[in-house]
Amino acid sequence: MSTISALVLVLLGAMLLAGGKQGLVSFLGLLFNFAVVFLSVVLISWGIPYLIVTLCNAVIILVVSIYFGNQQGRNADIAFLTSIIVVGLVILLIIPIEHWAQVQGFGVENTEDLEGLSLQLGVRFLDVSCAMTILSCLGAVAEAAVAVATGLVELEDHDATISEQQLIRTGMRVGQEIVGTAFNTLFFGFYGELLGLFIWFARLHYTLGMIINDKIFVAELIMTIISAIGVILTIPITIGVVLYHKRHRVKG
């Protein structure tokens, strides 16, 4: 048995112990999302426009992540709608940022590994970079949307007379807690992924200017910052969608 197979079995066992049947459904959803991401790579390599592929697969991933990983209900509907809105706004930010940053492709650290290999893939590295950044922010956005929506829906279900001002204040308090933990998750994920690169920088005595202009470092930093912006946008938008649903239910 390979290491990956053993880790997958451990993950499955942990999810079954923690969530029972729901844990199994979440595990299957995780496998399905992995297949969707792999499909994205194949379709983009075939020359299908990256934005169409990424948008379609982003919707599929959000559906699976939100509805398979949680109990279906009004909170899941709110979280899904919020995630779609936030991802749409983030895409409007990602595309010009990636064009302006020009960090697509490989850095000088990859030179030795790429010697003798052809880079004429028939796909623009800029398109790949945009698709990668869009897909990388989905998990953080969906997680924040589910957390805020679930908290506000539970609060509203227990007190149908709660005012909109109270919902807004509660949503902002919940959001502040989520932002703190989400930033830590994103930061340590960024730091852990690039630890080897940081050691490279230190041993080769890179200056600060060289570090902040390094392609690999800047590309990962952009993905982390975009994900953080997505989490921040998720909080007020989720509150707005909850209030919209509340007013719609009252009128109905």
Side-chain angles (χ1 to χ4, degrees):
M1 179 181 295
S2 67
T3 304
I4 296 298
S5 300
L7 286 175
V8 170
L9 290 177
V10 171
L11 175 62
L12 175 59
M15 295 181 75
L16 288 174
L17 287 175
K21 181 180 178 181
Q22 188 62 39
L24 176 61
V25 173
S26 299
F27 180 79
L28 295 176
L30 179 63
L31 294 180
F32 184 82
N33 278 342
F34 177 80
V36 170
V37 172
F38 180 78
L39 179 63
S40 300
V41 175
V42 174
L43 293 177
I44 292 175
S45 69
W46 285 351
I48 299 176
Y50 84 93
L51 194 55
I52 296 176
V53 173
T54 306
L55 289 177
C56 292
N57 289 336
V59 172
I60 295 172
I61 290 172
L62 289 175
V63 169
V64 174
S65 300
I66 293 174
Y67 288 98
F68 277 44
N70 306 276
Q71 293 292 334
Q72 298 183 18
R74 190 157 56 94
N75 59 325
D77 296 337
I78 291 172
F80 177 71
L81 178 58
T82 300
S83 299
I84 292 295
I85 295 173
V86 172
V87 170
L89 294 175
V90 168
I91 289 174
L92 296 178
L93 178 63
I94 289 173
I95 294 177
I97 288 294
E98 290 289 348
H99 278 76
W100 174 68
Q102 292 295 304
V103 293
Q104 66 276 3
F106 300 96
V108 294
E109 294 80 12
N110 306 120
T111 303
E112 292 185 6
D113 297 330
L114 296 173
E115 285 182 359
L117 299 179
S118 174
L119 298 182
Q120 303 301 318
L121 306 178
V123 178
R124 294 199 311 164
F125 282 112
L126 180 60
D127 295 347
V128 175
S129 181
C130 290
M132 184 171 58
T133 307
I134 293 169
L135 293 175
S136 69
C137 73
L138 296 180
V141 170
E143 180 182 358
V146 168
V148 177
T150 301
L152 294 182
V153 168
E154 287 291 329
L155 183 62
E156 188 180 359
D157 288 343
H158 282 82
D159 184 6
T161 61
I162 188 171
S163 66
E164 293 186 357
Q165 289 73 21
Q166 288 176 307
L167 278 176
I168 293 174
R169 286 196 298 269
T170 302
M172 294 303 297
R173 285 199 299 269
V174 172
Q176 289 170 1
E177 298 295 330
I178 292 173
V179 166
T181 56
F183 281 2
N184 284 329
T185 301
L186 293 171
F187 171 75
F188 286 114
F190 163 76
Y191 180 78
E193 184 175 354
L194 295 184
L195 181 60
L197 184 66
F198 292 150
I199 295 174
W200 174 297
F201 290 160
R203 294 297 297 271
L204 296 183
H205 305 291
Y206 273 44
T207 65
L208 179 61
M210 294 170 67
I211 293 174
I212 62 176
N213 284 283
D214 182 81
K215 271 190 175 185
I216 300 175
F217 174 80
V218 175
E220 292 292 336
L221 183 61
I222 286 175
M223 285 193 289
T224 302
I225 294 175
I226 290 292
S227 297
I229 292 173
V231 172
I232 294 173
L233 290 176
T234 299
I235 296 167
I237 292 176
T238 304
I239 295 173
V241 174
V242 170
L243 294 178
Y244 173 80
H245 274 246
K246 179 179 175 62
R247 295 169 184 171
H248 185 73
R249 291 175 65 196
V250 170
K251 291 179 180 180

